[in-house]
Amino acid sequence: MALINSLVSWLNTKRFSQIDFFKNHPIETQKETLTQLIEQASNTEWGKKYDFKSIRTLSEFKDRLPVQTYEDIEPYINRLRNGEQNIFWPSEIKWFAKSSGTTNSKSKFIPVSKEALEDCHFRGGKDILAIYTSLFPETGIFKGKGLTLGGSHQINNIKNDSYYGDLSAILIQNLPFWADFIRTPDTSIVLMDEWEEKLNKMTEATLNENVTSLSGVPSWFLVLLKHILNASGKNNIHEIWPNLELFVHGGVSFDPYREQFKGLLPSQNMNYLETYNASEGFFGIQDNPLDDSLLLMLDYGIYYEFIPIECLANDHPGAISLEEVKLHTNYAIVITTNGGLWRYQIGDTIRFTSKAPFKFKISGRTKLFINAFGEELIIDNAEKAIQTACVKTNSIIKEYTAAPVFMASNQKGAHQWLIEFEKAPGNIDEFNFILDNALMSANSDYEAKRYKNITLEKPHITIAKPGLFYQWLKEKGKLGGQNKVPRLSNNRDLIEELLQKNN
């Protein structure tokens, strides 16, 4: 084992020098990335439309190319799916990452080029291992196999053989053959469409394996681990997989699930690393277990820009480059990528915690918020307040969603929280009091609206029956993969649908 770890360390030496370079020279790295992207795509339809060959400066790039959303480029995406090529990017596009539709019920199909696979997504996976093995040089992770909980993919036969599916499924499908020797279960099981059958098959296939690492979305991994635990009759997961030491997670905030994972995985040797790998690109890795910020990965073929969240409503919100960002400010992310996305607003928001190197935390979604009364409540506020209320009342939340209660002739405004507890608090009123105060602490706009109940009343909490959110996801065909329950909505459509099922 020591020989394998030494070999891995030797192979990682060159990569760490590259990581050190972009950490020490972030602006130069980003400028070089943008120059290469423009040069590579200069003869595409997009490159000719905006005359990439004549772009010499960053200001020319920004002036010429508009910031775009998916709706802006959807007609071009549809042409790609119908078999046309060389629209956004010169290399062949035959894979499309289907979004989970967190903020929009309509599916989005994000083009995935071979460069995006190799130089972005797969490089991110390799860097996770490189960073982890440098943090824990005595690791035994290579003694066993990694268990990845991915989605499913299916063939899209519109006019050519193009493929779409969850990003995780696309990555699994394109892994080299030797990867099958270091992961479990078999690809045919991992990519199954039917979630509940998949649970049974994954349980059967992994119960007797030596699993040393897990990788996936926390909410769905909880479902799988509990299913495996029930099937085994054991008390915790380490009794099944005694060498399990790492969970690489992403997709949703880990905070609401942390205590449940500690219960299932009680070993002091269990480690957790967060990543930020979206359909549009691999953006960040937690490189320090004691700091939950993510290192912005600057050499994955992605050029970054940022829009201050308060400017999003403007007709022409200005996007700033990396050197202009400020700490602890919420920004919407705009990316230009080696998958052919040009100044594309992905819908996520982040805030920087460090500029040397550039590290950040995910703060929410541009469309996932409540601002019915000027309170500007974002997901970051909600997650922190929920965590505080859970810790102080010794409770555990399984799932939740929140929406505004609009003012009526004899009713003030409020926020309604529909919460499914794994472990309910002894006193729901105490939980509500702590939640409300934590929200006020985290958000001064919310606090102002709550002042003396003038605009907003205290939160209205409705307890969801067991399995409510799971059943809703099942009915929507969104079990497994990267699908998740929208946490915040600025209207009552979702919560009313769920409340009807909760009766």
Side-chain angles (χ1 to χ4, degrees):
M1 197 63 231
L3 178 62
I4 295 176
N5 288 6
S6 297
L7 177 62
V8 169
S9 177
W10 177 77
L11 292 171
N12 287 340
T13 301
K14 180 182 178 182
R15 179 57 190 148
F16 275 116
S17 69
Q18 295 170 338
I19 292 174
D20 285 340
F21 181 85
F22 79 65
K23 287 167 73 173
N24 293 320
H25 306 280
I27 309 308
E28 294 90 333
T29 301
Q30 280 284 276
K31 286 180 179 177
E32 177 64 22
T33 295
L34 181 60
T35 299
Q36 291 177 357
L37 292 171
I38 291 172
E39 288 177 356
Q40 285 179 274
S42 61
N43 289 319
T44 63
E45 179 178 327
W46 212 250
K48 292 174 181 177
K49 178 180 179 180
Y50 293 106
D51 193 12
F52 281 10
K53 289 184 178 179
S54 71
I55 293 177
R56 296 288 181 267
T57 65
L58 177 58
S59 61
E60 286 179 348
F61 172 74
K62 289 184 175 183
D63 290 342
R64 202 171 296 179
L65 275 72
V67 173
Q68 309 246 295
T69 65
Y70 185 81
E71 288 71 26
D72 296 323
I73 63 172
E74 186 174 18
Y76 297 91
I77 299 286
N78 290 337
R79 287 172 54 196
L80 276 174
R81 293 177 65 206
N82 279 315
E84 291 189 54
Q85 296 293 338
N86 203 40
I87 297 175
F88 298 123
W89 192 250
S91 61
E92 181 184 22
I93 304 291
K94 65 178 182 178
W95 289 96
F96 296 85
K98 184 179 178 182
S99 77
S100 58
T102 301
T103 62
N104 193 325
S105 59
K106 183 173 64 176
S107 296
K108 299 177 183 178
F109 296 88
I110 305 300
V112 181
S113 67
K114 66 179 182 181
E115 290 86 358
L117 278 173
E118 294 293 336
D119 301 333
C120 183
H121 294 292
F122 286 156
R123 175 175 278 191
K126 294 173 187 174
D127 282 351
I128 292 168
L129 286 177
I131 288 169
Y132 182 73
T133 52
S134 72
L135 291 169
F136 301 97
E138 302 303 316
T139 176
I141 197 172
F142 300 112
K143 290 180 180 177
K145 295 185 176 182
L147 196 167
T148 299
L149 182 55
S152 60
H153 87 284
Q154 56 195 104
I155 296 174
N156 166 15
N157 280 320
I158 299 177
K159 289 185 179 178
N160 70 310
D161 290 334
S162 60
Y163 306 85
Y164 68 85
D166 290 345
L167 173 68
S168 56
I170 292 174
L171 299 182
I172 290 168
Q173 187 67 38
N174 285 278
L175 284 170
F177 74 92
W178 51 262
D180 287 334
F181 299 111
I182 60 174
R183 65 180 178 82
T184 187
D186 182 81
T187 301
S188 62
I189 297 175
V190 175
L191 297 180
M192 288 177 67
D193 288 316
E194 217 297 308
W195 168 251
E196 288 171 330
E197 182 184 357
K198 182 176 179 174
L199 270 181
N200 291 327
K201 293 287 187 182
M202 290 192 78
T203 299
E204 292 171 11
T206 60
L207 267 175
N208 296 313
E209 288 278 14
N210 178 25
V211 175
T212 55
S213 68
L214 310 174
S215 178
V217 179
S219 52
W220 291 112
F221 243 111
L222 272 181
V223 176
L224 174 63
L225 294 180
K226 289 177 181 179
H227 193 271
I228 291 173
L229 205 57
N230 288 336
S232 70
K234 303 292 186 181
N235 294 315
N236 64 65
I237 294 297
H238 292 296
E239 293 182 9
I240 305 169
W241 302 321
N243 298 316
L244 177 62
E245 62 173 272
L246 173 64
F247 179 32
V248 179
H249 59 87
V252 299
S253 170
F254 192 54
D255 289 340
Y257 306 102
R258 194 178 303 277
E259 292 305 313
Q260 293 187 68
F261 273 94
K262 285 182 181 178
L264 292 169
L265 305 167
S267 170
Q268 295 298 310
N269 297 321
M270 192 67 203
N271 300 302
Y272 299 87
L273 286 182
E274 183 176 358
T275 64
Y276 183 9
N277 191 15
S279 299
E280 298 86 356
F282 199 123
F283 306 135
I285 300 173
Q286 182 183 1
D287 64 342
N288 180 354
L290 302 178
D291 176 8
D292 58 0
S293 299
L294 306 181
L295 177 67
L296 187 64
M297 307 306 289
L298 297 175
D299 64 349
Y300 285 5
I302 299 173
Y303 179 76
Y304 293 95
E305 297 175 77
F306 307 92
I307 300 175
I309 197 166
E310 63 270 17
C311 298
L312 280 177
N314 298 346
D315 290 337
H316 300 287
I320 62 176
S321 300
L322 192 62
E323 61 264 38
E324 301 173 83
V325 300
K326 298 177 181 178
L327 296 182
H328 313 302
T329 298
N330 283 311
Y331 293 105
I333 309 173
V334 176
I335 56 172
T336 293
T337 78
N338 52 10
L341 298 175
W342 296 94
R343 303 201 78 200
Y344 180 83
Q345 186 180 321
I346 65 174
D348 288 342
T349 62
I350 65 170
R351 52 185 170 82
F352 285 94
T353 59
S354 167
K355 295 174 69 173
F358 282 95
K359 299 180 78 169
F360 68 95
K361 291 184 180 181
I362 303 166
S363 56
R365 298 279 296 173
T366 57
K367 295 182 181 178
L368 207 61
F369 59 87
I370 303 178
N371 193 30
F373 312 100
E375 67 275 43
E376 297 186 12
L377 188 74
I378 62 173
I379 192 67
D380 186 53
N381 305 149
E383 297 284 11
K384 286 181 177 176
I386 281 284
Q387 184 183 21
T388 298
C390 284
V391 168
K392 291 190 175 182
T393 61
N394 193 28
S395 54
I396 299 173
I397 280 181
K398 191 170 185 179
E399 293 287 358
Y400 75 89
T401 192
V405 177
F406 294 104
M407 295 176 180
S409 56
N410 57 353
Q411 178 179 307
K412 294 177 181 177
H415 291 171
Q416 183 173 16
W417 295 70
L418 180 61
I419 302 174
E420 182 179 343
F421 287 99
E422 180 78 17
K423 179 183 178 185
N427 186 325
I428 195 66
D429 290 333
E430 180 191 9
F431 180 94
N432 194 4
F433 177 81
I434 296 169
L435 174 67
D436 187 32
N437 278 277
L439 289 169
M440 286 190 278
S441 236
N443 184 319
S444 58
D445 290 313
Y446 177 84
E447 182 181 31
K449 302 303 180 291
R450 281 285 293 118
Y451 180 68
K452 294 186 176 180
N453 293 336
I454 292 174
T455 303
L456 285 179
E457 297 179 333
K458 68 180 180 180
H460 300 181
I461 293 183
T462 302
I463 298 177
K465 63 185 180 183
L468 173 68
F469 290 95
Y470 182 93
Q471 189 60 37
W472 180 81
L473 286 165
K474 182 178 180 180
E475 290 174 5
K476 298 291 182 183
K478 294 185 176 228
L479 289 181
Q482 294 168 297
N483 299 307
K484 49 216 173 194
V485 176
R487 298 301 199 195
L488 303 178
S489 303
N490 207 37
N491 59 57
R492 292 190 58 81
D493 295 348
L494 170 62
I495 204 165
E496 289 292 351
E497 187 179 343
L498 287 162
L499 287 170
Q500 287 183 8
K501 300 178 182 302
N502 200 47
N503 292 331

